């Protein structure tokens, strides 16, 4: 680890004459620069438990509280299978993430892994996808937060927020004010630093787990066997489409890898946190989905983004339990916004330190150890998206960016095993190279299960990213500067 003020060593690899698009940042340099920002450094304060909570916080809740209402009409009762397929796809990539997080424990996540293995241009493309993955998913989840907030307000004080200020353009409103509010609240907490943020996140995660266990207990009493037949009314195509949408629900497990420069023992704790969080989340998702589709006909999920609260009320016959569920969901979805927003800021922090985005994103407040300017900029960007863009479009756009980045992580594991076989690894992918190859194949399969409109959005986003790189990043990257 570097002392504050000590310049990171320049690896000779960065001086090797190669095409700018292919220049790689050596692993040793990535690790040596860990935590170093503009005017300060990130603080290593996070334990394995807190890393796991960050990962669960960024993952658990999205698919159940928000996206279940959009995925169930596609898959029918087989949405349970869709969750399993999406979870297996995530598992392949999670194994690769765990190996790389233990070997390259830095904040950039898959962006940094790509920089060390496939070169600067691929790293930029990956980082640009992560901006889509994290930034847009914050907005997507924030949109769903307002639905449960209305359920809570209606059940407690008998009022709801007017549609004009609680729904985005195209869905009956002008601005989604609740979505903007939850993003701004997360921004305020994140500006206090990683340690304080982790404590707040752990409390919110505990609340959401208790809430889902409560739903399972009450919802189980309302299960009707007839609701499971036919299991797959829309066939394998529907199951695949549901899985592709639900993959959005698993994007958070890699959030722990974005905390690599703030973890106390990243080489040991990051792989454990990634795998443990994915196991807990998948188990809860499948059980809750089983209970939900058993307690309510799958056709009734259409257009319902607060489905669990409705089921609690219908099964119990009392609005009280629906209110309790809605209150838990408000906290749960807020924790997803909070944790994913954290991950987005840390990825931009790493990209900024490498010179690929403006230096303001790497500026660290000396007192809190937080990149406060970064947090404000990202929060405002996500808040605007959440205020005006409908949920469905946001969720699918996030899924395709996530799948692309995960595919690159699986490739990065193979490349790093070949180029650096003797590198110490605290975790190794089982059944190598079969597992990462299956991970790539699963990501490609899921990407092609998404509709043409999502691909058009993704293509447009990539075009913009390539233009930004060639107009800004290729000349300003730290490796380019070092070569002059």
């Amino acid at each position: 680890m570097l002392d504050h003020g000590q310049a990171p060593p320049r690896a000779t690899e960065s001086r090797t004459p190669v095409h700018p698009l292919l220049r790689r940042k050596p692993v040793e340099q990535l690790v040596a620069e860990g935590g170093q920002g503009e005017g300060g450094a990130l603080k290593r304060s996070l334990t394995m438990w807190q890393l796991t909570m960050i990962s669960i916080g960024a993952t658990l809740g999205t698919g159940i509280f928000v996206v279940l209402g959009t995925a169930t009409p596609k898959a029918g009762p087989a949405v349970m299978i869709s969750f399993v397929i999406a979870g297996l796809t995530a598992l392949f990539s999670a194994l690769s993430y765990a190996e790389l997080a233990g070997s390259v424990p830095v904040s950039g996540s898959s962006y940094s892994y790509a920089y060390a293995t496939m070169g600067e241009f691929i790293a930029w493309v990956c980082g640009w996808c992560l901006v889509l993955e994290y930034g847009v998913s914050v907005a997507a989840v924030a949109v769903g937060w307002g639905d449960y907030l209305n359920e809570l307000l209606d059940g407690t004080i008998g009022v709801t927020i007017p549609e004009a200020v609680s729904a985005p353009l195209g869905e009956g409103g002008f601005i989604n004010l609740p979505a903007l509010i939850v993003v701004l609240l997360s921004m305020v907490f994140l500006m206090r630093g990683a340690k304080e943020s982790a404590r707040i996140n752990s409390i919110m995660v505990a609340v959401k787990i208790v809430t889902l266990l409560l739903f399972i207990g009450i919802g189980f009493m309302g299960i009707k066997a007839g609701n499971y037949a036919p299991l797959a009314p829309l066939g394998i195509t529907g199951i695949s489409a549901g899985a592709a949408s639900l993959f959005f629900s698993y994007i958070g497990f890699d959030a722990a890898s974005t905390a690599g420069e703030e973890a106390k023992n990243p080489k040991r704790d990051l792989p454990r946190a990634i795998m443990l969080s994915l196991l807990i989340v998948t188990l809860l998702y499948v059980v809750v989905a089983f209970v939900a589709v058993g307690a309510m006909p799958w056709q009734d999920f259409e257009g319902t983004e607060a489905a669990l609260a409705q089921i609690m009320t219908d099964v119990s016959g009392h609005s009280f339990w629906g209110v309790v569920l809605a209150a838990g969901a408000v906290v749960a979805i807020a924790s997803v916004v909070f944790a994913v927003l954290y991950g987005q800021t840390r990825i931009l922090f790493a990209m900024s330190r490498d010179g690929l985005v403006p230096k303001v994103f790497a500026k660290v407040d000396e007192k809190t150890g937080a990149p406060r300017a970064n947090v404000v900029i990202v929060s405002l960007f996500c808040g605007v998206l959440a205020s005006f863009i409908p949920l469905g479009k946001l969720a699918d756009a996030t899924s395709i960016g996530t799948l692309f980045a995960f595919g690159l992580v699986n490739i990065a594991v193979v490349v790093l095993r070949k180029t650096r076989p003797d590198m110490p690894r605290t975790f190794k992918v089982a059944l190598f190279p079969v597992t990462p190859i299956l991970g790539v194949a699963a990501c490609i399969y899921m990407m092609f299960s998404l509709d043409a409109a999502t691909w058009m959005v993704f293509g447009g986003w990539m075009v913009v990213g390539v233009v930004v790189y060639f107009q800004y990043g290729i000349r300003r990257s730290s490796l380019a500067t070092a070569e002059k």
Side-chain angles (χ1 to χ4, degrees):
M1 185 184 299
L2 294 174
D3 295 330
H4 297 319
Q6 179 182 347
R10 286 186 177 179
T12 55
E13 187 176 337
S14 64
R15 297 172 179 270
T16 305
V18 294
H19 193 281
L21 301 184
L22 302 177
R23 54 195 175 205
R24 293 180 295 171
K25 195 165 191 178
V27 172
E28 291 76 12
Q29 186 175 350
L30 282 167
V31 175
E33 293 176 349
Q36 300 302 310
E38 294 289 314
L42 301 177
K43 297 179 180 179
R44 291 196 177 275
S45 59
L46 303 180
T47 64
M48 194 275 284
W49 174 250
Q50 290 173 322
L51 292 169
T52 304
M53 291 299 100
I54 287 173
S55 189
I56 294 176
T59 311
L60 182 60
T62 310
I64 290 299
F65 289 110
V66 180
V67 187
L68 185 64
T70 60
T72 302
K74 297 178 182 179
V79 70
M80 299 175 291
I81 301 174
S82 297
F83 268 116
V84 173
I85 293 173
L88 288 174
T89 303
L91 175 61
F92 291 132
S93 298
L95 292 168
S96 295
Y97 264 102
E99 176 169 326
L100 291 173
S103 306
V104 193
V106 293
S107 290
S109 187
S110 50
Y111 153 76
S112 293
Y113 309 151
Y115 213 161
T117 57
M118 290 175 277
E120 185 172 285
F121 179 69
I122 297 298
W124 166 261
V125 170
C126 186
W128 193 245
C129 283
L130 290 174
V131 171
L132 182 68
E133 171 191 341
Y134 278 85
V136 179
S137 68
V138 167
V141 177
V143 169
W145 186 77
D147 293 294
Y148 278 98
L149 180 62
N150 264 334
E151 288 281 335
L152 179 60
L153 292 174
D154 185 42
T156 53
I157 59 177
V159 300
T160 57
I161 303 171
E163 190 175 46
V165 292
S166 64
L169 293 171
E171 292 193 351
F174 172 70
I175 182 173
N176 193 325
L177 193 58
L180 176 61
I181 290 172
V182 72
V183 174
L184 295 181
L185 285 174
S186 297
M187 176 189 77
V188 172
F189 287 125
L190 285 171
M191 291 177 68
R192 301 175 64 180
K195 188 174 183 179
E196 291 299 318
S197 297
R199 289 175 179 171
I200 296 167
N201 177 70
S202 295
I203 294 171
M204 291 194 290
V205 169
V207 170
K208 82 164 85 176
I209 291 177
V210 170
T211 300
L212 288 175
L213 291 177
L214 180 65
F215 170 81
I216 291 170
I218 294 178
F220 188 81
M221 296 185 293
I223 290 178
K224 297 176 182 177
N227 287 339
Y228 296 114
L231 181 64
L234 303 175
I236 189 64
T237 301
I239 294 174
S240 297
S245 293
L246 287 172
F247 191 80
F248 170 79
S249 312
Y250 288 91
I251 67 167
F253 78 80
D254 61 329
S257 68
T258 67
E261 295 172 21
E262 292 164 286
K264 289 183 177 179
N265 191 344
K267 287 182 176 292
R268 182 196 67 187
D269 292 343
L270 287 177
R272 294 179 180 180
I274 290 170
M275 299 309 301
L276 181 59
S277 63
L278 184 61
L279 175 63
I280 293 172
V281 166
T282 301
L283 181 61
L284 280 170
Y285 274 164
V286 173
V287 174
V288 171
F290 172 80
V291 172
V293 296
M296 186 167 78
W298 67 271
Q299 300 93 333
D300 294 350
F301 282 83
E302 183 74 46
T304 304
E305 292 171 359
L308 300 193
Q310 181 180 327
I311 291 171
M312 289 276 276
T313 299
D314 293 344
V315 170
S316 66
H318 300 285
S319 60
F320 171 77
W321 291 112
V323 172
V324 171
L325 193 284
V330 166
V331 175
I333 298 173
S335 76
V336 177
V337 173
F338 182 82
V340 176
L341 192 63
Y342 167 86
Q344 173 69 99
T345 60
R346 270 43 180 188
I347 289 166
L348 284 170
F349 175 87
M351 295 177 72
S352 175
R353 185 173 56 209
D354 292 336
L356 296 179
V357 298
K359 291 295 183 184
V360 66
F361 290 100
K363 189 174 182 180
V364 176
D365 181 81
E366 292 186 8
K367 183 178 179 180
T368 63
R372 304 187 75 172
N374 183 341
V375 170
V376 171
I377 294 170
V378 171
S379 299
L380 292 178
F381 171 75
C382 294
V384 170
L385 282 182
S387 300
F388 298 107
I389 306 298
L391 168 65
K393 295 179 181 178
L394 288 172
D396 284 347
T398 300
S399 292
I400 196 168
T402 303
L403 288 163
F404 187 85
F406 281 11
L408 290 180
V409 169
N410 286 292
I411 295 172
V413 166
V414 176
V415 173
L416 199 60
R417 284 278 192 105
K418 182 177 180 181
T419 57
R420 300 292 301 274
D422 299 326
M423 175 183 290
R425 291 170 170 85
T426 56
F427 180 93
K428 286 190 174 183
V429 172
L431 301 177
F432 181 88
V434 175
T435 300
I437 291 174
L438 288 175
V440 174
C443 288
I444 293 173
Y445 172 76
M446 297 281 280
M447 288 178 74
F448 280 98
S449 295
L450 294 167
D451 59 31
T454 303
W455 275 95
M456 291 178 65
V457 171
F458 180 67
W461 180 258
M462 287 295 100
V463 169
V464 173
V466 169
V467 171
V468 172
Y469 174 73
F470 281 104
Q471 292 296 315
Y472 184 92
I474 193 170
R475 296 190 302 272
R476 295 174 181 264
S477 79
S478 58
L479 294 187
T481 304
E483 291 171 353
K484 294 180 181 178

